[in-house]
């Protein structure tokens, strides 16, 4: 049987470098947007560095009365956010060494396209960033598969449907994943390590790891792989 690594995570808006390092570490990455949308989370916002400190960029979404909606059903509220986000990125990163190179493909995603749903937006940006970094991992959606009940059972079964032999999980899932379920289905369970990333030359003061990967791209461009573990040159 051919060995295949699978990871399953909710889509995030312009995620941090660790998210993309996990994508690069597997053969198939399933965007798990059949999960419930959670407010004040990473689904629709992320952080950038500015002269005034870390700043949130938040995509407005329609949540009123939609307490149990799934991420995949979450609609974006209006289109004004896109120009505002690009303006914030341009203002804070225009002095970065690789700003012009990254802006060449990133600005059109903000100013030249429109998005109705959060999942659609997140996937578009994730794909574009993977393409720039040369990450060839297959991206699929959870709704491409049949979904079982049970937190761990569903993940293990998704892995089996994707013909995965190893499941790579984020460390936070240790709180709820039942390891025996994966063992019973003959799937190797590996915990991903988000620590140990080297620092790079960053604008605006003290180094901060947890900001959007756009910070790394603007500062390091094609050398970004040097500051990630699973991305090849």
């Amino acid at each position: 049987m051919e060995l295949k690594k699978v990871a399953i995570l909710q889509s995030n808006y312009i995620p941090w470098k660790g998210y993309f390092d996990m994508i690069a570490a597997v053969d198939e990455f399933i965007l798990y947007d059949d999960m419930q949308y959670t407010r004040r989370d990473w689904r629709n916002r992320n952080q950038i560095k500015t002269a005034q400190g870390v700043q949130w960029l938040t995509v407005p979404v329609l949540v009123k009365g939609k307490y149990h909606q799934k991420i995949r059903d979450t609609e974006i509220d209006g289109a004004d956010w896109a120009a505002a986000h690009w303006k914030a990125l341009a203002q804070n990163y225009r002095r970065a060494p690789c700003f012009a190179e990254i802006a060449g493909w990133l600005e059109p995603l903000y100013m030249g396209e429109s998005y109705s749903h959060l999942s659609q937006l997140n996937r578009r940006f994730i794909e574009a960033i993977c393409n720039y970094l040369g990450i060839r991992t297959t991206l699929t959606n959870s709704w491409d598969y049949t979904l079982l009940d049970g937190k761990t059972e569903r993940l293990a079964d998704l892995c089996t449907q994707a013909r995965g032999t190893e499941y790579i999980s984020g460390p936070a899932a240790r709180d709820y994943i039942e390891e025996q379920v994966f063992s019973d289905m003959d799937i190797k369970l590996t915990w991903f390590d988000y620590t140990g990333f080297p620092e790079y030359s960053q604008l605006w003061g003290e180094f901060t790891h947890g900001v959007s990967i756009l910070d790394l791209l603007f500062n390091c461009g094609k050398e970004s792989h040097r500051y990630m573990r699973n991305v090849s040159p």
Side-chain angles (χ1 to χ4, degrees), residues 70-102:
K70 296 175 181 178
I71 301 164
R72 63 180 288 192
D73 297 325
T74 301
E75 295 178 79
I76 296 172
D77 186 6
D80 294 346
W81 65 271
H85 285 203
W86 178 249
K87 182 179 179 183
L89 289 166
Q91 283 178 338
N92 291 290
Y93 289 104
R94 65 176 181 269
R95 295 194 189 105
C98 304
F99 176 77
E101 180 190 346
I102 303 304

Side-chain angles (χ1 to χ4, degrees), residues 4 15-16 34 38 55 118 162 233:
K4 180 180 179 182
W16 80 301
D34 278 288
T38 45
Q55 174 187 328
L118 185 61

Side-chain angles (χ1 to χ4, degrees), residues 14 45-58 84-85 87-89 91-93 211-212:
I14 52 172
R45 64 179 189 164
N46 224 298
Q47 296 178 324
I48 62 169
K49 286 195 76 182
T50 79
Q52 290 76 42
V54 171
Q55 174 187 328
W56 286 100
L57 295 184
T58 302
H85 285 203
K87 182 179 179 183
L89 289 166
Q91 283 178 338
N92 291 290
Y93 289 104
V211 292
S212 167

Side-chain angles (χ1 to χ4, degrees), residues 124 167 201:
R124 182 73 182 93
Y167 178 65
S201 181

Side-chain angles (χ1 to χ4, degrees), residues 149-167:
D149 288 332
K151 269 186 175 178
T152 304
E153 289 79 6
R154 178 183 283 190
L155 294 173
D157 186 64
L158 274 170
C159 196
T160 299
Q161 288 183 65
R163 294 189 167 87
T165 57
E166 181 177 354
Y167 178 65

Side-chain angles (χ1 to χ4, degrees), residues 155-200:
L155 294 173
D157 186 64
L158 274 170
C159 196
T160 299
Q161 288 183 65
R163 294 189 167 87
T165 57
E166 181 177 354
Y167 178 65
I168 312 291
S169 174
R174 283 183 187 270
D175 295 342
Y176 67 82
I177 278 187
E178 301 165 52
E179 299 192 26
Q180 189 63 42
V181 174
F182 283 92
S183 179
D184 291 346
M185 296 179 75
D186 204 24
I187 298 169
K188 180 182 178 183
L189 175 60
T190 301
W191 300 103
F192 195 74
D193 182 7
Y194 285 124
T195 63
F197 288 113
E199 295 184 5
Y200 53 90

